[in-house]
Amino acid sequence: MPSWDDEFSKPGYRYGTEPNSFLVEMAGRLPKASRVIAAGDGEGRNGVWLAGQGHRVLALDASSVGLAKARALAEERGVPIETAVVDLSTYAPERAIADAVVLIYVHMPPAVRRAAHRNLASALKPGGLVILEAFHRDQLGRSSGGPKDPNMLFDLALLTEDFGPDIRAVHAFEGEVELDEGRGHVGMGAIVRFLGVKV
């Protein structure tokens, strides 16, 4: 299977340069100049958009190639963005430093996923938000994107267990949406959307 560095080395932006629509919808809940961790941000479409809204963004990804494109996109749009190459399975952020953690189509193996989700949530201040969109278990077999391993797909019950009692769901959705995100997510997709608040 090609690496993300290989994938992000291809011309253009795999998921486009416009932000995820659920993120745009939920970002109105963020205080001005929020500190946001955009985890698994790849080529930066979401982190750069958040920076353009005046937020202070740390974009994390395992791909240095993807983050180089994120910095280029930020420069093109005239916004500041901080990036760090990390492995989310072992990443340990400072606690209670962020107003939001954004996870847009960040799919990890189950052996590391729950710890990664809880580690990222530990970075939130009280009242901080988890904003997540990802592929649902029903996505398997569709051509609109996502992992081919069913163990890397989500449902709301799994997310609730992953984040644990410190994150209270305030918005949750499972269903179908029409995806139009670059060449990577195109067509009808089965997704899960989750907004949680740190209690």
Side-chain angles (χ1 to χ4, degrees), residues 1 5 26 37 96-97 117 119 142 156 170 173 186 192:
M1 181 175 176
D5 279 350
M26 293 296 109
I37 296 174
I97 61 164
H117 280 168
N119 283 340
R142 298 174 186 241
L156 289 173
V170 293
F173 169 83
V186 182
V192 56

Side-chain angles (χ1 to χ4, degrees), residues 32-194:
K32 289 185 177 180
S34 284
R35 178 65 167 159
V36 181
I37 296 174
D41 202 40
E43 298 166 310
R45 66 190 177 107
N46 295 308
V48 170
W49 180 82
L50 285 163
Q53 307 308 301
H55 300 300
R56 295 166 292 136
V57 177
L58 171 60
L60 307 176
D61 205 85
S63 171
S64 60
V65 175
L67 290 178
K69 290 171 84 169
R71 292 190 296 273
L73 184 61
E75 184 175 355
E76 176 186 312
R77 295 190 176 172
V79 296
I81 187 171
E82 184 183 352
T83 64
V85 178
V86 303
D87 179 347
L88 290 178
S89 69
T90 57
Y91 177 65
E94 290 184 60
R95 293 181 177 272
I97 61 164
D99 299 293
V101 169
V102 173
L103 290 146
I104 303 297
Y105 294 101
V106 181
H107 293 267
M108 293 174 273
V112 301
R113 186 199 63 242
R114 180 166 296 177
H117 280 168
R118 292 200 180 186
N119 283 340
L120 287 164
S122 75
L124 290 171
K125 303 172 186 176
L129 300 177
V130 173
I131 302 173
L132 181 150
E133 179 172 311
F135 284 112
H136 189 271
R137 295 184 190 277
D138 291 344
Q139 178 67 8
L140 200 65
R142 298 174 186 241
S143 61
S144 50
K148 306 309 177 193
D149 180 350
N151 294 314
M152 292 177 67
L153 299 170
F154 296 106
D155 59 32
L156 289 173
L158 181 149
L159 288 172
T160 300
E161 291 174 7
D162 272 10
F163 286 110
D166 291 344
I167 301 295
R168 178 174 56 86
V170 293
H171 175 92
F173 169 83
E174 293 176 313
E176 292 189 333
V177 298
E178 185 74 28
L179 298 171
D180 182 16
E181 299 184 322
R183 65 182 184 274
H185 295 159
V186 182
M188 192 61 71
I191 66 161
V192 56
R193 290 172 168 169
F194 178 87

